[in-house]
């Protein structure tokens, strides 16, 4: 059997990329600079030092195309990477499409998602600097779990502020984090000033990523030798996640393929930002012209209905401001099951690529997403995370378009994680209790009112 007939295109460990790829190096125009909220002036790496480890703050501003992956990090990556690239042959057959569908699967580690790719370097650089405690937020729980695994590995204590609604929907996530020695606090909480204010305004608040970030950042800046780590949105996170795209590119080369369409779900933009890296580089350099599509939930449509504006990365308005597509840091999306996609903003890099027409975006409703998830699970045997299923929905739709047109396109999508902890969501789907929701224009306007006024 030739490798072209394979289902799983595995890359040997020795072929794992030795450097991360930094897309900022190749963007013709870079995102507008972060602004220091105290001065409204462009932020410098030093402005981030109280929040982030210095090396990570520097990576936030790095402009070189490739950055070496330290051996201590590569050693951990090799326990679960390279991740497989899989041809979805059974799904292709079911859809009766001439399209070839490949997916890059990041669920093969305890965190169950791509998040570990950035958790490991973030803990490593903090440890190297002598930081004694880490804080973070988690929505769906994948980031908290990934970070708990990494923090425990390097022996750094971790406090996780977990979005209350997610903690209630996914109690087992909390159990894994605690197994890896993390302290888990439901957010909003009264352990911080930011949480207390939010609860005073709305005692029934179920939380959001923005709320939890505020609490985690406050805990970091008010506790000695403590830093905050963020699992998405930032340039450094997209840098670490570039390993996904670099591997996928090598794997596709093994079978003489190049994607015509690249699809990823987008919450803060890290799995898609990582997957698209080398392909977007080719596109910017005019070598190829794949369509690259971000898929977001209709309930939290930052690219498709948001504003391109400066905003805080958190609801507590503590972090530097980023120019991004945003629904406003005060926007709290409805409690859809794809908790990892409930973030008000979008990575400044992806926002800029979208603004410049290099990236497309679409939004989908959760019932249609779960239809796709279950179809995929039954035919490809992996139960996808609800977040990842957004990408599946669009991949299926594009493959069906190929059936109409008779075009044998090559589709690559990111399967960012498994859904083994999302059984409450699957139960609701099976019992036909899932509902669809999109915010009204009035609700969006209310969110936009929380945007900071600059200048
Ligand atoms: C966190 C998460 C996402 C959303 O975050 P991005 O930064 O947009 O990738 C998507 N899928 C899974 C499985 C996640 O855990």
């Amino acid at each position: 059997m030739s490798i072209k007939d394979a289902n799983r295109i595995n890359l040997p460990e020795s072929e794992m990329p030795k450097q991360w790829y930094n897309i900022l190096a190749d963007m013709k125009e870079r995102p507008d600079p972060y602004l220091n909220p105290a001065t409204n002036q462009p932020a410098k790496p030093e402005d981030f030092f109280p929040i982030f480890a210095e090396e990570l703050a520097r990576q936030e501003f790095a402009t070189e195309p490739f950055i070496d992956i330290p051996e201590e990090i590569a050693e951990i990556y090799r326990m679960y990477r390279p991740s497989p690239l899989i041809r979805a042959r059974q799904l292709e057959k079911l859809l009766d499409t001439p399209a070839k569908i490949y997916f890059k699967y990041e669920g093969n580690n305890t965190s169950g998602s791509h998040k570990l790719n950035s958790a490991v370097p973030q803990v490593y650089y903090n440890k190297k600097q002598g930081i004694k405690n880490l804080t973070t937020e988690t929505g769906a729980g994948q980031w908290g779990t990934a970070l708990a695994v990494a923090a425990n590995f390097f022996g750094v204590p971790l406090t996780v502020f977990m979005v209350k609604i997610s903690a209630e929907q996914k109690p087992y996530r909390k159990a894994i984090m605690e197994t890896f020695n993390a302290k888990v606090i439901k957010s909003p909480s009264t352990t911080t000033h930011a949480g207390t204010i939010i609860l005073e305004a709305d005692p029934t608040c179920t939380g959001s990523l923005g709320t939890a970030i505020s609490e985690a950042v406050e805990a970091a800046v008010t506790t000695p030798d403590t830093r905050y780590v963020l699992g998405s949105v930032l340039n450094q996170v997209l840098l670490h996640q570039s390993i996904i795209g670099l591997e996928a590119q090598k794997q596709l080369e093994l079978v003489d393929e190049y994607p015509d369409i690249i699809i990823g779900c987008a919450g803060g933009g890290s799995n898609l930002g990582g997957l698209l890296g080398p392909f977007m580089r080719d596109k910017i350099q005019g070598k190829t012209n794949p369509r690259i599509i971000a898929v977001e939930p209709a309930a939290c449509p930052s690219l498709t209905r948001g504003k391109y504006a400066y905003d805080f990365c958190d609801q507590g308005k503590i972090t530097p401001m980023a120019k991004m597509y945003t629904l406003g840091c005060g926007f709290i999306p409805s409690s859809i099951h794809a908790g990892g996609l409930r973030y008000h903003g979008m990575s400044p890099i992806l926002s800029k690529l979208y603004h410049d027409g290099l990236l497309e975006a679409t939004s989908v409703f959760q019932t249609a997403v779960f239809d796709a998830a279950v179809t995929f699970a039954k035919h490809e045997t992996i139960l996808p995370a609800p977040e990842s299923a957004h990408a599946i929905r669009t991949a299926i739709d594009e493959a069906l378009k190929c059936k109409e047109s008779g075009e044998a396109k090559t589709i690559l999508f990111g399967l960012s994680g498994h859904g083994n902890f999302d059984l409450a969501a699957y139960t609701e789907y099976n019992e036909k209790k899932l509902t669809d929701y999109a915010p009204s224009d009035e609700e969006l306007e209310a969110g936009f009112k929380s945007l900071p006024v600059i200048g």
Side-chain angles (χ1 to χ4, degrees):
M1 188 176 106
S2 107
I3 183 158
K4 287 196 182 184
D5 302 318
N7 283 291
R8 299 166 76 92
I9 300 144
N10 293 319
L11 206 59
E13 266 178 42
S14 57
E15 287 291 306
M16 197 178 78
K18 296 188 168 45
Q19 296 177 309
W20 291 300
Y21 167 61
N22 176 17
I23 196 165
L24 282 174
D26 287 301
M27 288 171 74
K28 294 219 167 80
E29 269 181 54
R30 300 208 175 112
D32 289 343
Y34 289 108
L35 296 183
N36 180 327
T39 60
N40 280 351
Q41 294 302 308
K44 297 183 286 298
E46 300 83 83
D47 294 329
F48 285 89
F49 287 177
I51 313 177
F52 299 136
E54 294 179 11
E55 189 54 37
L56 293 166
R58 279 190 209 100
Q59 286 183 356
E60 206 53 40
F61 292 83
T63 53
E64 62 267 47
F66 291 96
I67 294 179
D68 287 344
I69 302 175
E71 179 52 26
E72 294 88 336
I73 294 171
E75 216 171 64
I76 302 179
Y77 277 178
R78 284 195 296 267
M79 287 195 261
Y80 68 97
R81 309 201 68 82
S83 71
L85 180 78
I86 302 173
R87 172 109 180 246
R89 291 184 191 274
Q90 300 307 318
L91 183 64
E92 286 172 17
K93 225 183 272 178
L94 171 81
L95 301 176
D96 189 23
T97 174
K100 293 178 203 160
I101 307 174
Y102 291 90
F103 63 93
K104 179 77 169 154
Y105 182 45
E106 292 294 318
N108 278 329
N109 66 77
T110 293
S111 77
S113 80
H114 67 291
K115 299 272 187 351
L116 194 56
N117 302 332
S118 187
V120 172
Q122 292 201 46
V123 177
Y124 168 79
Y125 289 115
N126 274 284
K127 165 98 177 176
K128 212 173 151 199
Q129 192 181 316
I131 296 304
K132 302 276 188 297
N133 298 284
L134 291 172
T135 70
T136 196
E137 83 298 332
T138 196
Q142 286 96 318
W143 171 243
T145 309
L147 199 63
V149 171
N152 184 69
F153 201 92
F154 288 108
V156 183
L158 168 70
T159 303
V160 179
F161 290 88
M162 184 168 191
V163 176
K164 192 181 279 171
I165 178 86
S166 304
E168 283 158 12
Q169 282 172 347
K170 301 208 251 179
Y172 294 127
R173 278 277 171 204
K174 184 164 174 274
I176 307 191
M177 288 185 259
E178 287 169 347
T179 302
F180 285 91
N181 289 330
K183 179 175 170 194
V184 180
I185 298 173
K186 287 184 196 172
S187 171
S189 78
T190 51
T191 67
T192 65
H193 182 65
T196 306
I197 289 180
I198 293 164
L199 283 175
E200 274 167 9
D202 177 8
T204 62
C205 180
T206 53
S208 70
L209 276 178
T211 327
I213 292 173
S214 298
E215 291 206 87
V217 171
E218 183 186 320
V221 297
T222 56
T223 319
D225 289 331
T226 302
R227 292 292 182 280
Y228 166 69
V229 279
L230 176 59
S232 184
V233 185
L234 301 170
N235 303 344
Q236 53 182 283
V237 182
L238 268 67
L239 174 76
H240 306 147
Q241 295 297 353
S242 68
I243 189 134
I244 303 173
L246 293 167
E247 285 179 4
Q249 183 190 39
K250 285 190 172 198
Q251 287 161 310
L252 285 170
E253 277 169 10
L254 287 177
V255 287
D256 289 330
E257 291 279 9
Y258 193 94
D260 298 302
I261 307 177
I262 297 159
I263 300 165
C265 65
S270 74
N271 84 87
L272 175 60
L275 178 67
L276 63 69
F279 306 107
M280 184 61 88
R281 180 177 215 217
D282 289 348
K283 187 174 166 108
I284 291 171
Q285 294 178 347
K287 291 181 187 156
T288 60
N289 193 22
R291 288 178 61 207
I292 307 180
I293 310 172
V295 189
E296 54 186 16
C300 193
S302 50
L303 286 172
T304 50
R305 292 176 72 198
K307 279 203 187 354
Y308 191 44
Y310 270 106
D311 195 7
F312 292 95
C313 301
D314 70 310
Q315 213 175 9
K317 308 191 176 186
I318 309 173
T319 54
M321 294 179 284
K323 178 86 172 274
M324 58 184 174
Y325 277 87
T326 177
L327 299 168
C329 60
F331 180 81
I332 297 197
S334 73
S335 305
I336 52 165
H337 284 287
L341 304 182
R342 291 176 77 237
Y343 181 67
H344 66 273
M346 184 58 66
S347 135
I349 290 177
L350 289 199
S351 291
K352 179 67 178 158
L353 292 170
Y354 178 65
H355 200 67
D356 290 348
L358 291 157
L359 177 70
E360 300 172 33
T362 185
S363 72
V364 288
F365 284 100
Q366 72 174 356
T367 316
V369 165
F370 275 85
D371 287 340
V374 170
T375 301
F376 179 82
K378 286 176 179 162
H379 291 84
E380 296 295 329
T381 76
I382 298 171
L383 189 74
E387 292 87 355
S388 319
H390 286 67
I392 300 174
R393 174 73 268 164
T394 298
I396 290 178
D397 292 344
E398 289 296 331
L400 289 173
K401 279 186 211 160
C402 287
K403 182 180 177 181
E404 295 269 301
S405 67
E407 288 171 286
K409 289 190 178 157
T410 299
I411 298 172
L412 167 65
F413 74 86
L415 190 69
S416 50
H418 68 62
N420 297 0
F421 291 101
D422 298 280
L423 301 179
Y426 280 98
T427 302
E428 271 194 30
Y429 175 79
N430 294 336
E431 293 174 355
K432 304 203 168 19
K433 287 183 185 153
L434 276 189
T435 52
D436 284 334
Y437 177 81
S440 65
D441 289 342
E442 291 71 33
E443 284 169 281
L444 291 185
E445 277 310 317
F448 296 143
K449 288 211 176 80
S450 64
L451 287 170
V453 182
I454 312 284

